[in-house]
Amino acid sequence: MGHTEFLTYQKFNDKNLAEDLTSVLAKEGIEFVFEDDTPHFDVSFANNETDKTYLVKLKSIDFKRVDDILTKLSTSQIIDADPDHYLFGFSNEELKELLLKSDEWSKYDFLLAQKILKDRGQTIDDSNLALLKNQRIEELAKPEKSQRLSIMAGYVFAFFGGLIGIFIGGHLYSHKKTLPNGERVYSYSDQDRKQGKIIFSISVISAIIWTIYRLANT
């Protein structure tokens, strides 16, 4: 049996939203992969919950089927949308930002935001949505801001034991993020990745030296 690759269908920062989608997929009998794409090692040491990333992956042949299922399901639901739903309290700009970041929201919220904007006289068509999608991908593809503090910490750990420096350097050099279209790109700039590679190399050498030193003194 040939291997079928699962590709990212949607990315969430909210685990509950991701699980809402997987429950629909399970009910429809559609194979999926749920993946926590949050970095296992936080080079900023901030442990920020807003940086959590959850991926729902599908076989490419199921993308359109799932789109149709979610669109049909959500379209019928928004007809009777609760007037107290939080999206009705969003400004036009906030709703447009939701459309821009549709990869972080449910299909229901995405369609309801469009309906609210249209009811308010805002023009939202397929060309607008395609433009927003391309704009979002371009924005997400940009490298993360400079990891100066993490690089400094990496060098310190590299010279004093090496183990944590290996994690920091390896993460800076090799970590990738997944874009809404399924493409994976390096998370950090070329300059930061170069520093990560140096930190990794120094850390490995340092770890070897410290190991030999400890063995020689036991």
Side-chain angles (χ1 to χ4, degrees):
M1 181 180 294
H3 172 72
T4 301
E5 184 181 6
F6 283 82
L7 303 175
T8 299
Y9 175 75
Q10 193 164 6
K11 179 179 71 174
F12 299 90
N13 295 122
D14 186 326
K15 188 176 183 179
N16 291 328
L17 290 178
E19 291 177 340
D20 286 344
L21 174 55
T22 58
S23 66
V24 173
L25 297 175
K27 183 178 180 181
E28 295 291 335
I30 299 172
E31 291 184 272
F32 65 88
V33 172
F34 176 79
E35 183 177 305
D36 185 343
D37 196 45
T38 306
H40 296 297
F41 187 81
D42 184 358
V43 296
S44 70
F45 303 102
N47 195 29
N48 192 341
E49 286 295 319
T50 61
D51 290 334
K52 299 291 185 182
T53 304
Y54 304 97
L55 306 179
V56 176
K57 297 184 174 182
L58 306 173
K59 296 176 181 177
S60 59
I61 58 174
D62 289 328
F63 272 44
K64 186 178 187 306
R65 179 186 173 194
V66 173
D67 270 341
D68 292 342
I69 290 173
L70 294 178
T71 298
K72 182 178 180 180
L73 180 64
S74 299
T75 299
S76 63
Q77 291 175 336
I78 64 175
I79 295 175
D80 300 316
D82 185 346
D84 291 327
H85 192 283
Y86 57 85
L87 287 187
F88 286 101
F90 279 32
S91 67
N92 289 349
E93 289 305 311
E94 289 172 328
L95 291 172
K96 290 177 181 177
E97 183 178 3
L98 185 156
L99 297 183
L100 173 64
K101 299 180 179 179
S102 61
D103 53 289
E104 296 180 357
W105 297 80
S106 68
K107 180 69 75 173
Y108 178 88
D109 285 345
F110 178 65
L111 293 175
L112 181 57
Q114 292 180 58
K115 181 180 184 300
I116 294 173
L117 284 169
K118 289 177 180 178
D119 290 345
R120 293 177 182 179
Q122 300 291 308
T123 302
I124 301 294
D125 55 29
D126 290 341
S127 61
N128 295 136
L129 295 175
L131 183 64
L132 288 174
K133 184 176 181 179
N134 289 334
Q135 181 181 338
R136 175 64 168 166
I137 290 174
E138 289 177 4
E139 181 66 27
L140 290 175
K142 294 178 181 178
E144 303 295 326
K145 63 183 180 179
S146 175
Q147 302 295 304
R148 186 174 304 170
L149 291 178
S150 298
I151 290 171
M152 292 173 60
Y155 276 113
V156 171
F157 286 117
F159 286 106
F160 293 95
L163 186 59
I164 297 179
I166 289 174
F167 283 109
I168 295 177
H171 179 83
L172 288 171
Y173 177 70
S174 64
H175 187 262
K176 291 184 176 182
K177 55 187 176 181
T178 304
L179 304 180
N181 61 358
E183 181 183 0
R184 287 181 66 80
V185 298
Y186 286 110
S187 299
Y188 306 110
S189 67
D190 290 342
Q191 183 61 36
D192 284 357
R193 291 186 63 235
K194 180 180 178 181
Q195 295 297 322
K197 188 174 183 179
I198 294 172
I199 291 169
F200 181 85
S201 299
I202 294 175
S203 297
V204 170
I205 294 172
S206 178
I208 293 173
I209 292 173
W210 277 102
T211 299
I212 293 174
Y213 175 80
R214 291 189 184 100
L215 289 175
N217 288 273
T218 55

